[in-house]
Amino acid sequence: MRGINLFSLCAVGILIIAVYVFLTLCRGVVRLLCRALDSKGETICRLVYNLIQYLTIFVLIYQAFSYLGFPTSTVLASVGVAALAITFGAQTLIADILAGVFNVLEGGYRVGDYIKIDGFEGFVRSIGVRTTKVESRSRDIKIIENSQI
């Protein structure tokens, strides 16, 4: 039977708990891998974990809608159209993400490297999907979009 009822709400609750447990286990595995790898491997591990997290949450939402009786194929088509519209509006975001991924894969710089960008010098503290954090010798932190590097 479709629609919102006690069984569908329980199924969604169980699904949320399962996703929470899965993401907690994934976080633990990624932390173990990060400790065993160098800074480039650590960055890749974090990017992979973020990807797993986003995909898992997307599947959670899709399945919850399905259990609650929403027309998931219609919702998915609407999300596709909305994503296309957002993509055109968020070109800088996409450029930042792609630049971050390519930087990690090509190894332009790593966490701990000393770099100089636009007159700001410092050590790379973290490399994210969209931004890179650089800390100067005077402990100033500058967050730089990856597409600007």
Side-chain angles (χ1 to χ4, degrees):
M1 188 160 83
R2 300 302 245 175
I4 298 177
N5 57 42
L6 183 60
F7 294 113
S8 60
L9 291 176
C10 287
V12 170
I14 291 170
L15 186 63
I16 290 171
I17 292 168
V19 165
Y20 178 77
V21 169
F22 174 74
L23 289 176
T24 303
L25 290 172
C26 284
R27 187 179 312 122
V29 169
V30 167
R31 284 185 181 162
L32 287 174
L33 286 174
C34 286
R35 289 183 190 141
L37 299 172
D38 62 349
S39 59
K40 182 178 179 181
E42 179 179 341
T43 305
I44 291 173
C45 284
R46 289 183 185 189
L47 289 174
V48 167
Y49 175 71
N50 285 338
L51 180 65
I52 290 170
Q53 188 176 11
Y54 293 137
L55 288 175
T56 304
I57 291 172
F58 175 76
V59 170
L60 167 72
I61 292 169
Y62 182 81
Q63 284 298 320
F65 281 168
S66 176
Y67 290 154
L68 295 174
F70 290 100
T72 52
S73 59
T74 306
V75 171
L76 193 59
S78 300
V79 168
V81 171
L84 186 62
I86 291 170
T87 301
F88 286 123
Q91 291 177 356
T92 56
L93 173 69
I94 294 169
D96 290 338
I97 292 170
L98 289 176
V101 169
F102 285 130
N103 177 52
V104 169
L105 294 177
E106 293 176 358
Y109 57 89
R110 297 179 182 171
V111 173
D113 286 353
Y114 188 80
I115 62 173
K116 180 178 180 180
I117 299 173
D118 292 335
F120 190 84
E121 299 180 29
F123 293 97
V124 177
R125 290 297 167 220
S126 69
I127 302 172
V129 176
R130 287 187 347 97
T131 60
T132 297
K133 292 182 184 176
V134 181
E135 183 178 354
S136 69
R137 292 189 192 274
S138 61
R139 303 270 185 212
D140 293 331
I141 294 178
K142 183 169 185 172
I143 300 172
I144 304 167
E145 293 177 354
N146 288 329
S147 62
Q148 294 179 352
I149 298 175

